């Protein structure tokens, strides 16, 4: 194993600071962070609320937006969101790296270092927004003609593209502000800010969006939500920041951050190739309304995938602090404790939700979106395997400063995806596009498991004997319940909430059975 080599990889900016006390790093307000299981579970719960708020808001508003703007306009809006998601991923790895570096500064009580990270990242995001705005001014007509936008909607599509730069800056700035609170374990506060901004956004959409050409207004309301999130998080996190000259991090830390961010960007680029590019392929080959149908399935699959991912920020923060205090050996022990609980729970959750999601999409939007349900089921099958196998491992390699291993598995998944995309698309159409993605990320996840076992000795415990019958029972309860709700003929956000009841009942039954064995 390469434990000694990894243990020597402490960021330059932190090596000369005094280590935190064995009891754990003190916060800037003099209180100690709670590293007990109860503290972790509390952090996971509030992190879930913070991240669920935007997803639930989008799920609730999607039927309203489709009904008032039509499927073609919804397809155009979905395409703009794909462009935005792509650009936020391709930010040089800055956004994905902030949580780890904020956590290191927080562990050492370095408010000035945190302030320099905030100002430096905001400067980068403003520059990216200006660059994208300039490109859109030059290329907007070319882009709209290349993605099968109906002629009557080309004007609105071009207006949206001109707003893409400011949207990008605000989206990245909100992610930076969120990372500040996450790294300092301020999950309760983050949940409040996230919920408030989403509530204001939802009310504004319902009051202001009517039938007609309201796509630019929808983009402005989205920008307003990002702005509220940014200002709210920065105000809440002000006690963790001290702004003093120089305003940018020192050269040594910029070098460390740049190297880490470059590796994170390589992983981020594979996210684009494995996810967002699917929508661009569909937009290039099919009418834009199929982008909307794909977006419905993608939204459902990513929403369900995100539920276990809500645990990532507190787990990453916890593991980063463990690594800072106890070194690599402590981080390895922490991995095995967390993974023994994570794997069976996430696998059961993934099987149950994959079976239920196709029917749930039809409950949500109607039988006309059955293709979107199929897209969701195929994607969620791949996501479930990925999250179960790579989730805690991803937190581990990021916490110890070795994201290159994550990059390697991501590129492996991308290579498999690209090889399969054309033949599967020719065979199965839209479903073939996402099938290639699902198979690719499954293969990459298995490679990541093998890679982490070789280099750090990370292993999974064998699943307990009752895991299989518990999962089968939960799947039957959820599947039969979804069929009964679908037969009622109700559609919309409220029936979708009702469709969650059989899933929760099935998962509760599985949990009871597995806890009895434990």
């Amino acid at each position: 194993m390469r434990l000694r080599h990894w243990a020597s990889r402490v960021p330059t900016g932190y090596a000369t600071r005094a280590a935190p006390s064995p009891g754990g790093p003190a916060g800037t307000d003099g209180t100690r962070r709670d590293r007990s299981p109860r503290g972790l579970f509390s952090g996971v719960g509030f992190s879930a609320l913070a991240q669920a708020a935007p997803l639930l808001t989008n799920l609730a508003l999607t039927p309203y937006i489709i009904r008032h703007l039509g499927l073609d306009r919804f397809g155009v809006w979905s395409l703009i969101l794909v462009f935005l998601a792509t650009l936020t991923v391709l930010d040089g790895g800055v956004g994905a790296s902030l949580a780890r570096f904020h956590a290191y500064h927080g562990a050492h009580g370095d408010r000035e270092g945190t302030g320099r990270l905030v100002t430096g990242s905001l400067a980068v995001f403003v520059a990216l927004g200006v660059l994208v705005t300039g490109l859109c001014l030059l290329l907007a007509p070319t882009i709209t003609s290349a993605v099968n936008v109906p002629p009557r909607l080309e004007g609105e599509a071009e207006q949206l593209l001109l707003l893409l730069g400011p949207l990008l800056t605000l989206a990245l700035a909100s992610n930076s502000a969120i990372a500040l609170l996450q790294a300092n374990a301020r999950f309760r506060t983050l949940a409040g800010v996230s919920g408030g901004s989403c509530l204001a956004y939802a009310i504004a959409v319902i009051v202001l969006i009517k039938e007609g050409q309201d796509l630019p207004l929808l983009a402005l309301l989205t920008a307003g939500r990002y702005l509220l999130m940014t200002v709210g998080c920065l105000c809440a996190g002000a006690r963790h920041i001290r702004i003093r000259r120089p305003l940018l991090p020192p050269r040594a830390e910029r070098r460390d951050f740049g190297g880490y961010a470059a590796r994170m960007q390589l992983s981020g680029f594979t996210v684009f190739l494995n996810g967002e590019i699917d929508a661009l392929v569909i937009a290039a080959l099919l009418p834009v309304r199929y982008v909307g149908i794909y977006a419905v399935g993608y939204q459902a699959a990513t929403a369900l995938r995100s539920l276990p991912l809500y645990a990532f920020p507190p787990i990453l923060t916890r593991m980063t602090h463990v690594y800072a205090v106890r070194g690599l050996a402590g981080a390895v022990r922490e991995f095995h404790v967390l993974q023994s609980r994570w794997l069976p729970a996430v696998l059961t959750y993934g099987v149950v939700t994959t079976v239920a999601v196709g029917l749930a999409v039809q409950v949500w939007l109607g039988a006309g979106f059955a293709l979107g349900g199929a897209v969701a089921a195929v994607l969620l099958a791949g996501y479930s395997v990925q999250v179960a196998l790579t989730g805690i491992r991803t937190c581990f390699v990021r916490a110890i400063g070795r994201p290159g291993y994550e990059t390697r598995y991501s590129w492996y998944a991308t290579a498999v995806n690209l090889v399969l995309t054309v033949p599967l698309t020719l065979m199965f159409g839209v479903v073939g596009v996402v099938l290639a993605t699902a198979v690719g990320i499954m293969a990459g996840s298995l490679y990541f498991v093998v890679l982490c076992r070789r280099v750090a000795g990370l292993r999974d415990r064998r699943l307990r004997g009752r895991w299989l019958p518990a999962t089968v029972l939960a799947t039957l309860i959820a599947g039969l319940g979804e069929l009964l709700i679908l037969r009622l003929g109700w559609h919309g956000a409220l029936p979708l909430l009702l469709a969650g009841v059989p899933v929760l009942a099935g998962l509760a039954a599985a949990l009871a059975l597995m806890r009895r064995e434990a």
Side-chain angles (χ1 to χ4, degrees):
M1 293 188 297
R2 303 177 186 176
L3 300 185
R4 183 174 300 175
H5 171 68
W6 282 15
S8 66
R9 304 256 328 160
V10 178
T12 305
Y14 311 108
T16 59
R17 297 189 178 94
S21 65
T28 56
D29 56 356
T31 61
R32 296 191 183 279
R33 291 186 175 88
D34 185 358
R35 289 205 194 135
S36 66
R38 181 179 179 182
L40 177 61
F41 293 147
S42 174
V44 170
F46 284 113
S47 175
L49 290 175
Q51 296 181 72
L55 291 173
L56 293 176
T57 302
N58 289 332
L59 289 174
L61 290 178
T62 293
Y64 180 88
I65 293 173
I66 292 176
R67 184 168 63 251
H68 284 78
L69 299 183
L71 187 54
D72 284 335
R73 278 195 173 87
F74 178 73
V76 172
W77 176 240
S78 300
L79 187 60
I80 295 300
L81 293 181
V82 168
F83 288 148
L84 179 60
T86 299
L87 291 170
T88 54
V89 168
L90 304 179
D91 66 341
V94 175
S97 305
L98 285 172
R100 177 179 184 268
F101 282 80
H102 276 316
Y104 263 103
H105 283 300
H108 295 83
D110 186 3
R111 295 173 60 193
E112 294 180 9
T114 299
R116 294 186 184 103
L117 272 182
V118 170
T119 55
S121 63
L122 290 178
V124 171
F125 298 153
V126 170
L128 287 174
V130 171
L131 176 62
V132 169
T133 299
L135 292 175
C136 287
L137 283 170
L138 296 174
L139 301 176
T142 303
I143 295 173
T144 54
S145 63
V147 293
N148 291 321
V149 174
R152 61 188 177 85
L153 299 180
E154 287 184 355
E156 290 180 72
E158 291 181 10
Q159 293 178 43
L160 290 178
L161 287 172
L162 295 181
L163 293 172
L164 191 57
L167 277 173
L168 174 63
T169 294
L170 290 172
L172 291 172
S174 69
N175 290 340
S176 174
I178 289 169
L180 172 65
L181 294 185
Q182 289 174 338
N184 288 280
R186 300 284 303 284
F187 299 106
R188 186 193 301 266
T189 303
L190 179 58
V193 176
S194 178
S197 64
C198 289
L199 179 61
Y201 170 71
I203 293 173
V205 168
I206 293 172
V207 171
L208 298 177
I209 298 297
K210 306 298 180 183
E211 289 80 359
Q213 300 180 0
D214 282 342
L215 282 180
L217 177 58
L218 184 59
L220 291 176
L221 295 178
T222 302
R225 180 173 73 84
Y226 290 139
L227 182 60
L228 280 176
M229 193 72 187
T230 303
V231 174
C233 288
L234 289 179
C235 289
R239 69 183 186 184
H240 306 292
I241 304 172
R242 179 179 293 148
I243 304 297
R244 288 185 177 178
R245 293 185 177 182
L247 297 178
L248 299 180
R251 180 175 299 178
E253 186 175 349
R254 291 202 303 268
R255 183 173 60 251
D256 288 336
F257 188 96
Y260 187 92
R263 297 191 295 273
M264 292 300 297
Q265 180 59 91
L266 290 174
S267 296
F269 188 66
T270 64
V271 173
F272 163 70
L273 293 176
N274 284 322
E276 310 301 339
I277 199 172
D278 289 350
L280 300 180
V281 170
I282 294 169
L285 300 177
L286 298 171
V288 73
R289 62 174 45 226
Y290 282 95
V291 178
I293 293 173
Y294 164 82
V296 164
Y298 181 77
Q299 183 178 342
T302 53
L304 290 170
R305 177 188 64 172
S306 296
L307 290 178
L309 295 184
Y310 295 152
F312 270 29
I315 288 176
L316 177 59
T317 300
R318 179 189 180 100
M319 195 168 285
T320 302
H321 282 285
V322 169
Y323 176 62
V325 175
R326 303 175 188 168
L328 186 61
V332 171
R333 287 194 297 270
E334 189 74 10
F335 166 83
H336 286 117
V337 171
L338 295 173
Q339 181 68 1
S340 65
R341 302 173 182 177
W342 177 269
L343 182 64
V346 174
L347 283 178
T348 298
Y349 169 84
V351 172
V352 173
T353 53
T354 297
V355 170
V357 69
L359 298 173
V361 168
Q362 296 182 58
V363 171
W364 179 31
L365 297 173
F369 284 85
L371 181 58
V375 167
V378 172
L379 281 175
L380 189 55
Y383 291 155
S384 299
V385 173
Q386 180 188 33
V387 173
L389 295 181
T390 71
I392 306 299
R393 288 177 171 85
T394 297
C395 291
F396 175 83
V397 297
R398 291 185 182 184
I400 67 172
R402 302 293 291 181
Y405 292 98
E406 181 185 358
T407 302
R408 288 172 62 178
Y409 106 79
S410 299
W411 278 103
Y412 184 91
T414 300
V416 175
N417 182 10
L418 294 178
V419 169
L420 295 178
T421 294
V422 172
L424 291 181
T425 302
L426 293 176
M427 293 170 61
F428 303 112
V430 173
V431 175
V433 176
V434 295
L435 181 60
T437 299
V439 173
I441 59 180
M442 286 181 182
S445 300
L446 292 173
Y447 173 67
F448 193 39
V449 171
V450 174
L451 184 64
C452 289
R453 178 181 298 178
R454 289 176 179 173
V455 301
L458 304 185
R459 296 178 180 273
D460 294 307
R461 295 179 182 176
R462 181 174 298 180
L463 295 172
R464 293 180 180 269
R466 288 192 179 181
W467 176 84
L468 182 58
T471 301
V472 171
L473 174 63
T475 303
L476 290 174
I477 293 173
L480 292 175
E482 295 297 327
L483 286 172
L484 291 175
I485 294 174
L486 183 61
R487 288 180 63 86
L488 295 176
W490 299 344
H491 305 294
L494 292 179
L496 180 62
L497 292 177
L498 180 61
V501 173
V503 175
L504 293 176
L507 292 175
L511 177 62
L513 191 59
M514 288 190 287
R515 286 186 66 179
R516 188 177 305 170
E517 181 183 31

